[in-house]
Amino acid sequence: MKDNPIIICVGQGTLSFMTPESDGSYVTHPYPVKSNMSIAANLRMAFKEETYLTDLGKKAVATPAILVPREEYNLNPNENLNETLYSTVITGHKGEVKVATEIEELDVVAIFPVNSDLQMVVQDHFPIVSTQNVMTDVWRDTYNKYYNGADHRKLFAYFHDRVVDIFCFEQHRIRFANAFQATHAHDALYYTLYTWKQLGMNSSDDTLYVMGDMPHGDWLIERYSAYITKVEKIEK
């Protein structure tokens, strides 16, 4: 098995694959999802059609996720804890496997659902499967690279899979994290500015960081800048 796994990225009606190069970098392969088929069926088709999926080792990525303080998660552990905590916050994922991942830097546990049919397809093709939510790495990397104890606050908006995840840190923890539909740029603008206002961010002193695949990115940056003085775009 190779050191770097194949990464399968599963979004809301989207599917893509990341395959490792010899230098450690990754190449992204978007897969044209057939809307009349489930994601699991599309994945089965991809394994039959795409030659770049022949390597062993893999890591599947899924959404959405909830965050639970680590001390609360460990307070009363039991085999049904993930299901109980997740279904209390988000409905519509009954019957899906709930996976938990600890984010040590932020002292939280992320819990997210994985479609059971999708998981079965992956396990049929790889002997070792590590399932991860796309946002756990984003939260971790953003915290390590961009968060610090500066006087001004920072709000982050990450665009992916027709969704914008908006989050911020405070006192070395995640203060706010939520995901919104962002198929249209106007929706993304509304949700970001609404969150900015609800959190009491200062339009002159605080900073908005945006990253990922934004719909109509130039227009969004222009509109953000009309309301917020400090807008920074984080390149991939």
Side-chain angles (χ1 to χ4, degrees), residues 136-165:
T136 55
D137 283 339
V138 173
W139 288 321
R140 182 183 290 110
D141 291 346
T142 304
Y143 173 79
N144 289 333
K145 293 179 181 178
Y146 298 99
Y147 175 75
N148 56 47
D151 293 335
H152 70 282
R153 296 161 63 193
K154 302 175 181 181
L155 185 69
F156 300 89
Y158 175 58
F159 291 81
H160 64 100
D161 302 303
R162 304 172 188 169
V163 172
V164 56
D165 272 271

Side-chain angles (χ1 to χ4, degrees), residues 1 55-58 122-129:
M1 184 177 66
D55 289 340
L56 294 178
K58 93 146 288 310
V122 174
Q123 291 175 338
D124 284 344
H125 288 82
F126 298 99
I128 300 175
V129 178

